Amino acid sequence: MSVSASVSARRLVAAALAAGAVVSAVALPASAADRRPERAKVEISAVQYDSPGRDDRTNRSLNKEWVELTNTTRQSVNLDGWTLEDESGRTYTFDGYRLAGRATVRIHTGEGRDTRTDLYQDRRSYVWNNDHDTATLSNHRGRVIDEESWGYDRHHGGGSRH
């Protein structure tokens, strides 16, 4: 092979490699993982288990006791049939509610009119223990999605409610 043919071959290979690098950096599609929809993630983001002020069992006081759920993804999540339960088995079941992406809903203990951002259990007594309790969120199949616990003193045991 002549010197000029060898130089031409090297230039051709170098040009092909450079073109391939540009094409792969610009033209390749996103990976399959990038195209999959986000997996729904709903979590208990806050709990107000001790309503501020006197626990006088008024509807106003009951509604100051609440649990917040946040959808951390961009996709809406159908919560129909999901439950929110305390340790004593008091259960709130979501009925036909859809939580928008990146949205938060507050579930109040007392009575009220449901909106997109506030739901009401329509109870006439407190649900969440001030001294200790666990809020458990489960999906429509009964699978635990998230839990939030507070106030446990393992050395001294229980205590009174409100």
Side-chain angles (χ1 to χ4, degrees):
M1 179 182 319
S2 72
V3 171
S4 65
S6 174
V7 170
S8 294
R10 275 190 255 139
R11 285 186 184 156
L12 186 58
V13 168
L17 289 173
V22 169
V23 167
S24 68
V26 175
L28 285 180
S31 71
D34 292 341
R35 288 183 273 146
R36 271 187 250 146
E38 291 181 64
R39 185 178 181 127
K41 178 79 170 102
V42 177
E43 62 188 25
I44 298 172
S45 50
V47 178
Q48 179 63 54
Y49 54 84
D50 185 3
S51 58
R54 291 183 45 232
D55 287 342
D56 57 10
R57 295 187 185 263
T58 63
N59 194 53
R60 181 177 178 169
S61 179
L62 290 169
N63 281 332
K64 289 182 180 179
E65 179 183 85
W66 45 259
V67 174
E68 273 186 356
L69 303 181
T70 299
N71 178 354
T72 62
T73 70
R74 288 176 277 177
Q75 307 296 321
S76 68
V77 177
N78 183 0
L79 299 184
D80 189 40
W82 287 39
T83 60
L84 184 61
E85 184 175 7
D86 78 338
E87 285 182 350
S88 299
R90 288 178 286 251
T91 304
Y92 171 76
T93 302
F94 293 85
D95 183 22
Y97 183 78
R98 189 171 217 50
L99 183 57
R102 305 268 188 240
T104 296
V105 63
R106 189 175 280 185
I107 300 93
H108 302 270
T109 297
E111 298 175 339
R113 187 174 187 178
D114 292 345
T115 67
R116 203 171 25 90
T117 58
D118 293 277
L119 299 174
Y120 297 85
Q121 296 189 46
D122 295 330
R123 294 183 181 271
R124 294 179 185 207
S125 61
Y126 298 99
V127 171
W128 310 108
N129 292 339
N130 291 350
D131 57 349
H132 72 278
D133 211 338
T134 299
T136 302
L137 177 68
S138 300
N139 69 13
H140 65 286
R141 292 188 175 114
R143 180 175 164 249
V144 173
I145 301 301
D146 197 14
E147 288 186 324
E148 184 68 32
S149 296
W150 58 90
Y152 282 92
D153 181 355
R154 303 231 184 259
H155 301 290
H156 295 82
S160 62
R161 266 189 50 72
H162 292 275

